[in-house]
Amino acid sequence: MSSQPDCTPYPWVEKLIRIDTTSVLSNLGLIEMVRAYFNAHGVESVLTYDREQKKANLFATVPASSGATTGGIVLSGHTDVVPVTNQAWDSDPFVPTLRDGKLYGRGACDMKGFIGVALGLLPCMLKARLKAPIHFALSYDEEIGCAGAPSMIRELVERGIAPQGCIVGEPTNMGIVVAHKGINAYRCCVRGHAAHSSLQPQGVNAIEYAARLITFISDIARQSASEGPFDHDFNVPFTTAQTGMIKGGIAINTIPENCEFQFEFRNLPGIDPSDIYARIRAHAERVLLPEMQARVSSSDISFSTISTAPALDAGEKEALVGLISALRQDSTVSQVSYATEAGLFQQVGIPTIVCGPGSIEQAHKANEFVTLEQLASCESFLRKLIASQCD
């Protein structure tokens, strides 16, 4: 399938898709391109880097006509995308391709569509007589646990930016999402004691003890599904938990010394994730570990945090929700089970909702796309938002 460059009214969406920002790679090519664009329009950007200086967040402010840079609205989006490995695409995933009113490419809906439309409106923002600033917040590593945004959010708090609201442009078909679950991911390493399988009493089987802990996590999930608490505005109305990866052992006839697995749980708003994590650790430390160490004292079970992102629970009566509903002329709101960076902004006192072009059902799949109709709807909404911030 041949590519069609410059085939849409949204050149910035196409530019962003063309840069491979899969989470395992650097996003600096994209960030530097956007920073140069802001610089060319006289808008300064602040970058916050990861430890290796290979990735960066970007925060830029279009000031109010008075010169004020505090308060205002944040337009937030993540720059990284998920891999295309082993996916059967009908066109190059990093060449934007238009077919039948749909723009295909990795990140088209999740979420370079929103970012690109917003960037394209920068000249409009600069011409407007803004009574409050409009901020751009572009993050890295959202797809691997919202790892990048926290440093950017800490920095804007330290600078006293104090935004009055934030819109995270994840794909919602331009609907207003006021709540989502939190996500909490952990790694557990079980260290037993190796021995020949014919001498089983001399060993401690790390896989078997890991399996018992995994079963305990599964029991928590089943209890949550049957007993709640419930919030039936979510399509999955209870907190979930599951183990997604495991590895261990070296041979069938060797008692495995090591086993590592990764697990996650997605908590409803109002459920403290630390309570769930504490239950899991307590079972390991009070039930399993004493058994293991009674046989071999060097046995151990250790945990580490992979990533956490808090739940979002925006009140439907918040001023931001009212503003967005009025601009969209639709007061319908929804709640979703997937997680975003929205909870991180809310955590520091910034009212936040999720609203962006495209469907989450297209995200992460082969032939990911966003319709031109959705991009046009996003553009119309953002133009109204800009107008609402004018004198």
Side-chain angles (χ1 to χ4, degrees):
M1 186 70 64
S2 61
S3 62
Q4 301 176 43
D6 302 321
C7 56
T8 76
Y10 304 101
W12 265 104
V13 179
E14 297 182 44
K15 290 178 183 179
L16 298 178
I17 291 173
R18 289 180 183 277
I19 301 178
D20 183 354
T21 51
T22 304
S23 299
V24 296
L25 304 176
S26 171
N27 74 333
L28 291 183
L30 183 152
I31 290 296
E32 292 296 348
M33 179 178 70
V34 173
R35 180 162 69 168
Y37 174 62
F38 281 128
N39 286 345
H41 285 82
V43 176
E44 294 185 2
S45 304
V46 175
L47 304 190
T48 51
Y49 291 88
D50 68 348
R51 291 182 179 179
E52 290 76 28
Q53 302 286 300
K54 294 181 179 179
K55 299 179 181 182
N57 304 303
L58 179 149
F59 192 86
T61 298
V62 180
S65 58
S66 65
T69 57
T70 60
I73 299 291
V74 177
L75 303 179
S76 172
H78 64 82
T79 61
D80 61 318
V81 298
V82 297
V84 298
T85 308
N86 298 324
Q87 291 186 339
W89 285 70
D90 294 331
S91 55
D92 187 329
F94 298 106
V95 175
T97 304
L98 183 64
R99 299 194 299 270
D100 302 321
K102 300 174 182 177
L103 181 63
Y104 291 84
R106 175 54 87 221
C109 78
D110 186 17
M111 55 182 297
K112 293 179 176 180
F114 175 81
I115 297 173
V117 171
L119 289 172
L121 291 175
L122 176 63
C124 177
M125 298 175 191
L126 291 168
K127 292 178 182 178
R129 292 187 55 81
L130 295 175
K131 59 185 177 183
I134 296 177
H135 312 277
F136 288 79
L138 308 185
S139 65
Y140 67 87
D141 282 0
E142 188 271 351
E143 296 290 7
I144 54 175
C146 299
S151 61
M152 175 174 59
I153 294 172
R154 285 194 300 270
E155 189 273 340
L156 72 89
V157 170
E158 291 171 358
R159 291 170 58 205
I161 300 297
Q164 299 303 300
C166 175
I167 300 169
V168 176
E170 291 277 4
T172 66
N173 284 317
M174 293 306 299
I176 304 172
V177 168
V178 295
H180 65 60
K181 294 182 178 180
I183 183 170
N184 311 269
Y186 302 93
R187 179 180 294 102
C188 178
C189 298
V190 181
R191 186 176 75 244
H193 186 74
H196 193 281
S197 59
S198 65
L199 302 173
Q200 188 175 15
Q202 298 180 13
V204 177
N205 192 311
I207 289 178
E208 291 180 359
Y209 279 98
R212 289 174 60 181
L213 187 53
I214 289 168
T215 300
F216 181 79
I217 295 169
S218 182
D219 288 342
I220 290 177
R222 282 191 291 271
Q223 181 183 27
S224 177
S226 62
E227 300 177 12
F230 300 101
D231 184 338
H232 292 285
D233 287 329
F234 285 93
N235 60 345
V236 179
F238 46 85
T239 295
T240 61
Q242 65 102 27
T243 299
M245 297 181 67
I246 186 169
K247 62 180 180 180
I250 59 172
I252 187 63
N253 62 348
T254 301
I255 294 174
E257 183 175 13
N258 295 294
C259 183
E260 176 184 306
F261 65 93
Q262 297 180 20
F263 64 97
E264 64 155 31
F265 50 87
R266 294 175 181 254
N267 60 291
L268 291 173
I271 301 297
D272 188 347
S274 64
D275 291 343
I276 303 172
Y277 187 40
R279 286 181 63 189
I280 296 168
R281 291 188 63 120
H283 185 74
E285 294 166 2
R286 298 174 186 173
V287 178
L288 302 181
L289 193 56
E291 289 184 23
M292 297 168 65
Q293 292 182 338
R295 298 175 65 178
V296 178
S297 61
S298 61
S299 300
D300 188 37
I301 301 176
S302 62
F303 295 85
S304 59
T305 301
I306 298 173
S307 62
T308 62
L312 171 70
D313 190 11
E316 294 184 29
K317 295 183 179 180
E318 285 187 0
L320 178 66
V321 177
L323 170 63
I324 305 307
S325 296
L327 295 179
R328 295 187 63 257
Q329 297 183 317
D330 184 355
S331 60
T332 304
V333 298
S334 62
Q335 302 180 180
V336 296
S337 293
Y338 58 83
T340 77
E341 294 171 333
L344 294 167
F345 287 95
Q346 186 182 60
Q347 197 174 52
V348 297
I350 303 172
T352 305
I353 58 98
V354 184
C355 181
S359 169
I360 195 65
E361 294 182 2
Q362 305 305 324
H364 299 190
K365 294 181 179 179
N367 297 322
E368 177 184 348
F369 70 83
V370 63
T371 66
L372 296 186
E373 181 181 15
Q374 280 286 299
L375 293 177
S377 179
C378 179
E379 179 183 5
S380 175
F381 164 70
L382 290 179
R383 287 186 180 278
K384 292 177 182 177
L385 178 68
I386 295 166
S388 75
Q389 300 301 297
C390 291
D391 292 325

